[in-house]
């Protein structure tokens, strides 16, 4: 696997330093108990778990992490949202699903969770603190597979892997949500060609924030989309494609592309406009089992294992894994 080592955060250093000071002050006979205490403290607070257990039979697909150390996972089985503490690894069902999938998700700066509804052909917005549903939008197309979402300064944008268009949910003054019919369809054009299979999937903003990026899973092509017109231009990756591209994450000028069935994450360095880039690294991990999407917290990446190649049963185990951020 390709990983880089990262220094301890200030909080981690302070915690481990405090534990070490306690150990020095203890009598020699208490050394083994101190060692056990240090290990427990490091696991519980100073060093976050690198694997997060999800409910058996959950069928995870999407993940979102906001400003707080919690990860939200969506079930493609019934749409339940499961929230897990990144500090302790403990989780619980946070929001009951509608019986249709919950796929790509994002938490916005106002603490709202935007959820793509997959074959339900819809989207919903949930309070990330309480689990209360704040809004829902039925896009009404057939066939449909509302796959992923990105939240920009003035809108939430959803892809549909079965339609050559994006759904825009405009955000009003102070980020206010529109009514149920207040969304806009934006037709994809330009270089984008709808093909057989999974089309537009993951979505993100360009580094300069002026346009959108979408990955077409069936072709491995990455597109830059003008949000005003839907005109799509193929991103120049020097002839490379990104087959099985799924979730996208942009941090600065680095784009991460999860390639689900390849069990890897492509690291792409983009120019500011998102018109060109270079694949500079590939992240892999033996714990990957068809990861689909990715979210970041601190210097870690978190990816749910969708396990598409494993026949699902009510007792099939699922989890998410964490790797260092490149």
């Amino acid at each position: 696997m390709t990983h880089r080592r990262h220094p301890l955060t200030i909080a981690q250093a302070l915690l481990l330093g405090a534990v070490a000071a306690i150990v020095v002050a203890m009598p020699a006979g208490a050394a083994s108990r101190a060692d056990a205490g240090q290990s427990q403290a490091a696991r519980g607070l100073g060093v976050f778990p690198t694997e997060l257990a999800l409910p058996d039979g959950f069928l995870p697909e999407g993940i979102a992490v906001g400003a707080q150390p919690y990860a939200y996972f969506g079930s493609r089985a019934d749409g339940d949202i499961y929230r897990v503490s990144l500090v302790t690894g403990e989780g619980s069902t946070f929001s009951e699903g509608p019986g249709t999938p919950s796929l790509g998700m994002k938490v916005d700066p106002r603490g709202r969770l935007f959820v793509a509804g997959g074959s339900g052909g819809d989207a919903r917005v949930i309070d990330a603190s309480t689990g209360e549903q704040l809004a829902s939008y039925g896009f009404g197309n057939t066939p449909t597979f509302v796959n992923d979402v990105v939240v920009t300064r003035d809108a939430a944008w959803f892809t549909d892997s079965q339609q050559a268009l994006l759904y825009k949910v405009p955000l009003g003054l102070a980020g206010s949500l529109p009514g149920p019919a207040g969304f806009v369809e934006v037709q994809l054009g330009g270089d984008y060609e709808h093909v057989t299979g999974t089309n537009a999937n993951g979505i993100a903003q360009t580094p300069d924030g002026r346009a959108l990026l979408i990955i077409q899973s069936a072709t491995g092509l990455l597109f830059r989309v003008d949000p005003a017109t839907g005109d799509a231009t193929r991103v120049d990756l020097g002839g490379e494609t990104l087959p099985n591209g799924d979730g996208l994450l942009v941090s600065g000028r680095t784009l991460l592309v999860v390639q689900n069935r390849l069990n890897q994450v492509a690291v792409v360095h983009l120019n500011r406009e998102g018109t060109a880039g270079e694949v500079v690294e590939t992240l892999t991990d033996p714990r990957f089992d068809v990861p689909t999407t990715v979210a970041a917290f601190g210097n870690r990446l978190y990816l749910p294992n969708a396990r598409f190649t494993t026949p699902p049963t009510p007792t099939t185990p699922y989890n998410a894994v964490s790797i260092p951020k490149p």
Side-chain angles (χ1 to χ4, degrees), residues 196-268:
T196 301
T198 302
N199 285 274
N201 192 338
I203 184 168
Q205 275 190 291
T206 55
D208 64 5
R210 295 176 178 269
L212 303 170
L213 296 168
I214 60 171
I215 185 73
Q216 188 177 33
S217 298
T219 63
L221 299 178
L222 182 68
F223 295 94
R224 180 187 187 273
V225 180
D226 183 335
T229 65
D231 186 59
T233 305
R234 182 174 171 179
V235 178
D236 181 4
L237 298 180
E240 290 202 51
T241 60
L242 300 166
N244 299 115
D246 202 328
L248 304 183
L249 179 66
V250 170
S251 177
R253 287 172 55 179
T254 298
L255 167 67
L256 301 178
V257 182
V258 183
Q259 296 176 273
N260 52 37
R261 292 177 186 267
L262 299 183
N263 287 311
Q264 64 186 34
V265 181
V267 181
V268 183

Side-chain angles (χ1 to χ4, degrees), residues 2 4 44-45 71 94 134 154 165 169 194 205 214 217 235 242 249 251 253 265 270 278 281 305 318 324:
T2 305
R4 299 176 184 174
L45 295 173
F94 174 71
L134 304 175
D154 59 1
L165 50 80
V169 177
H194 208 63
Q205 275 190 291
I214 60 171
S217 298
V235 178
L242 300 166
L249 179 66
S251 177
R253 287 172 55 179
V265 181
L270 295 169
E278 179 186 3
E281 190 175 4
N305 280 318
Y318 292 94

Side-chain angles (χ1 to χ4, degrees), residues 4 16 23 37 43 53 102-103 108 122 125-126 133 171-172 188 208 217 230 232 279 298 308:
R4 299 176 184 174
L16 296 179
V23 172
R43 286 197 306 271
S102 291
L103 301 183
D108 78 348
D122 61 352
V125 185
I126 296 168
Q133 182 168 298
L171 302 179
L188 290 170
D208 64 5
S217 298
V279 179
F308 288 155

Side-chain angles (χ1 to χ4, degrees), residues 69-257:
Y70 291 97
Y72 300 84
F73 297 92
S75 168
R76 61 185 191 275
D78 57 11
D80 281 357
I81 306 295
Y82 193 77
R83 184 172 71 175
V84 181
S85 167
L86 299 180
V87 178
T88 66
E90 297 179 357
S92 61
T93 299
F94 174 71
S95 177
E96 295 289 339
T100 51
S102 291
L103 301 183
M105 302 186 295
K106 292 293 186 300
V107 179
D108 78 348
R110 293 178 172 84
R112 300 175 299 190
L113 182 67
F114 290 74
V115 183
S119 57
D122 61 352
R124 62 192 197 278
V125 185
I126 296 168
D127 188 310
S129 297
T130 66
E132 175 190 1
Q133 182 168 298
L134 304 175
S136 64
Y137 305 93
F139 299 128
N141 284 302
T142 303
T144 186
F145 199 77
V146 183
N147 208 332
D148 206 356
V149 58
V150 66
V151 184
T152 68
R153 180 181 57 83
D154 59 1
W157 293 87
F158 295 84
T159 58
D160 190 329
S161 298
Q162 295 300 313
Q163 296 286 333
L165 50 80
L166 302 176
Y167 304 110
K168 176 184 179 182
V169 177
L171 302 179
L173 208 58
S176 61
L177 297 167
F183 61 88
V184 178
E185 292 185 354
V186 178
Q187 193 75 31
L188 290 170
D191 293 342
Y192 181 87
E193 295 182 8
H194 208 63
V195 300
T196 301
T198 302
N199 285 274
N201 192 338
I203 184 168
Q205 275 190 291
T206 55
D208 64 5
R210 295 176 178 269
L212 303 170
L213 296 168
I214 60 171
I215 185 73
Q216 188 177 33
S217 298
T219 63
L221 299 178
L222 182 68
F223 295 94
R224 180 187 187 273
V225 180
D226 183 335
T229 65
D231 186 59
T233 305
R234 182 174 171 179
V235 178
D236 181 4
L237 298 180
E240 290 202 51
T241 60
L242 300 166
N244 299 115
D246 202 328
L248 304 183
L249 179 66
V250 170
S251 177
R253 287 172 55 179
T254 298
L255 167 67
L256 301 178
V257 182

